[in-house]
Amino acid sequence: MSKVVLPTKGPLLSGKGWTAFFVALIVVCAVAPVLNMWVPADSPLHMSDYAVALVGKIMCYAICALAMDLIWGYTGILSLGHGLFFALGGYMMGMYLMRQIGRDGNYKSDLPDFMVFLDWKTLPWHWTFSDSFIATLVLIVAVPGLIAFVFGFFAFRSRIKGVYFSIITQAMTFAAMLLFFRNETGFGGNNGFTDFKRILGIPIATQEMRMTLFALTGITLLGFFLFARWLIGSKFGRVLQAIRDAETRVMFSGYNPLPYKLTIWVISAIMCGVAGALYVPQVGIINPGEMSAANSIEIAIWAAVGGRATLIGPIIGAFIVNGAKSWLTVAYPEYWLYFLGALFIAVTLFLPNGIVGLVKKWLSREKAAPSAGREEAQRAMAAAQGMEPEALHAPLAAEVKGARA
């Protein structure tokens, strides 16, 4: 009976990969703060406060794109509802920041201004732990994770997949957006939360706090990237890819896909929730618009443009698309949506593996070209010597004297 040998587990990152990782870490934690805080504003090397806020926001989006890659690229489940989890994490952080305002609001009340405007006398029950930073951190993970678990359990148990799953995730997000628009839910209605003053008692508008949030976002993105690399390289990750490629065969092999799909779905939702919590203090606002269908679709576009099932690709895609969006919405605001649609169509038709897939294809061609040249030279040498080309590759057979008894 033949023994099945599983492939050996490779290193988490290659040598070049670790070099790139630590370079990115140094840029986020050291280079960017120096360029922003100590390089003079009139220097071409100065990193403006606007650039800090923009890059910090895009890094939050990159975390969402990475989460999408885990669920779509490696598991084959296209979600159009990840904007909900992003917004839930943002609202959890927003509630804490609203409580941190204290009596510095327009109405000089312990209640948030919108509650005073609506003539509320006490905080709603779901604001009970909003004044605790530790409780807020727990809720940032627990709320998106719990909602994802409940939704995913019933959806995956019912074996809903493909376009039907995408539609119901989008319907769930749209329903939540309509709920959060209502004033009586206690989430600020159409305006949401804004006018934040401080975090942990420290003013949020200071340059030091902005750079702290920037560095924390970069570290979180790099940490999630390493976690995703480890997860995909494990046995759990191999099963996820098997589910993506042939779920029926996985079931016939004795695996139940439900716990695997549900686990990666919850992990992906939590990552988006953490990204939303980092996004809110840097941008300064959170409202139900973050749950719009367009936002969730954009997350899928970032992953598709960069390259699915590559981990680094969705991060690159988030930076490229949002960088272009930031420029086009200023230069050509009326054409931005047309550009986004054209980009998605072009990637679907001509770059099915995204930008990273295209780069890998080019590199493989460059490696194949020298080997093809060597084979051609060997054929010419064999023809000149009157030999068959295969003879050049034949091993030399030499018998050493005294080797036989």
Side-chain angles (χ1 to χ4, degrees):
M1 184 177 180
S2 61
K3 183 178 179 181
V4 177
V5 180
L6 294 176
T8 57
K9 187 175 180 180
L12 187 62
L13 291 175
S14 63
K16 293 182 179 179
W18 279 117
T19 301
F21 177 85
F22 284 114
V23 168
L25 186 63
I26 292 171
V27 168
V28 167
C29 296
V31 176
V34 168
L35 296 181
N36 175 253
M37 301 176 67
W38 286 286
V39 174
D42 57 351
S43 172
L45 297 177
H46 175 72
M47 186 175 184
S48 66
D49 293 341
Y50 171 78
V52 170
L54 177 62
V55 176
K57 179 176 71 172
I58 294 178
M59 286 193 294
C60 295
Y61 291 154
I63 295 174
C64 293
L66 184 63
M68 176 63 71
D69 197 29
L70 289 176
I71 193 68
W72 186 25
Y74 286 96
T75 318
I77 302 171
L78 175 57
S79 167
L80 297 180
H82 267 44
L84 170 62
F85 307 125
F86 178 81
L88 287 174
Y91 267 98
M92 295 303 104
M93 177 57 75
M95 291 166 67
Y96 168 77
L97 295 176
M98 291 297 289
R99 293 296 301 276
Q100 282 280 294
I101 295 175
R103 290 183 172 270
D104 292 342
N106 294 327
Y107 296 101
K108 310 300 180 183
S109 172
D110 291 329
L111 296 177
D113 283 349
F114 76 90
M115 292 186 183
V116 178
F117 178 79
L118 295 173
D119 198 27
W120 290 27
K121 304 302 181 184
T122 58
L123 288 168
W125 64 269
H126 51 272
W127 283 70
T128 303
F129 301 105
S130 57
D131 59 339
S132 169
F133 185 73
I134 300 299
T136 297
L137 294 180
V138 174
L139 291 173
I140 287 169
V141 173
V143 172
L146 180 61
I147 292 177
F149 178 84
V150 173
F151 175 85
F153 176 78
F154 289 105
F156 296 137
R157 191 184 66 169
S158 302
R159 296 185 181 178
I160 299 173
K161 60 181 68 175
V163 66
Y164 303 103
F165 184 86
S166 302
I167 291 173
I168 63 172
T169 54
Q170 193 170 66
M172 173 187 66
T173 305
F174 187 74
M177 183 181 68
L178 295 179
L179 178 65
F180 275 66
F181 266 123
R182 300 177 65 89
N183 287 326
E184 57 267 27
T185 56
F187 292 108
N190 182 55
N191 296 322
F193 303 148
T194 188
D195 195 29
F196 307 130
K197 304 294 185 184
R198 58 185 69 88
I199 182 171
L200 290 173
I202 305 171
I204 205 170
T206 61
Q207 198 171 26
E208 292 77 10
M209 178 54 70
R210 281 196 295 265
M211 285 311 307
T212 300
L213 292 170
F214 177 92
L216 184 60
T217 304
I219 292 171
T220 304
L221 173 60
L222 293 172
F224 275 139
F225 175 77
L226 283 185
F227 170 73
R229 288 278 301 183
W230 169 80
L231 190 68
I232 294 304
S234 65
K235 178 183 176 182
F236 179 84
R238 291 198 295 270
V239 175
L240 290 181
Q241 295 170 68
I243 292 172
R244 175 197 63 192
D245 298 334
E247 184 173 348
T248 303
R249 291 188 178 184
V250 172
M251 295 173 64
F252 285 141
S253 299
Y255 288 91
N256 181 10
L258 174 60
Y260 291 92
K261 294 164 72 173
L262 186 58
T263 300
I264 197 63
W265 172 255
V266 172
I267 290 174
S268 181
I270 291 174
M271 290 172 63
C272 285
V274 173
L278 292 168
Y279 172 88
V280 169
Q282 296 183 81
V283 176
I285 188 172
I286 179 69
N287 57 42
E290 296 296 337
M291 301 181 188
S292 66
N295 286 11
S296 295
I297 293 173
E298 280 192 40
I299 297 176
I301 291 176
W302 304 334
V305 169
R308 289 184 294 152
T310 59
L311 294 183
I312 190 63
I315 297 175
I316 295 174
F319 273 88
I320 291 176
V321 175
N322 286 286
K325 178 180 179 179
S326 178
W327 177 72
L328 286 170
T329 49
V330 175
Y332 307 100
E334 64 274 15
Y335 300 117
W336 156 244
L337 291 178
Y338 295 104
F339 169 78
L340 185 64
L343 178 64
F344 192 55
I345 292 172
V347 169
T348 303
L349 293 178
F350 306 110
L351 295 175
N353 297 319
I355 295 173
V356 171
L358 180 63
V359 172
K360 288 182 177 180
K361 187 176 181 180
W362 283 346
L363 293 176
S364 62
R365 285 181 178 178
E366 290 180 0
K367 291 181 179 179
S371 61
R374 285 195 299 269
E375 291 180 1
E376 186 65 27
Q378 289 173 351
R379 290 193 187 97
M381 184 185 302
Q385 297 177 3
M387 300 170 57
E388 293 294 331
E390 291 76 9
L392 293 175
H393 301 284
L396 296 176
E399 183 178 346
V400 180
K401 293 181 178 181
R404 292 184 180 180

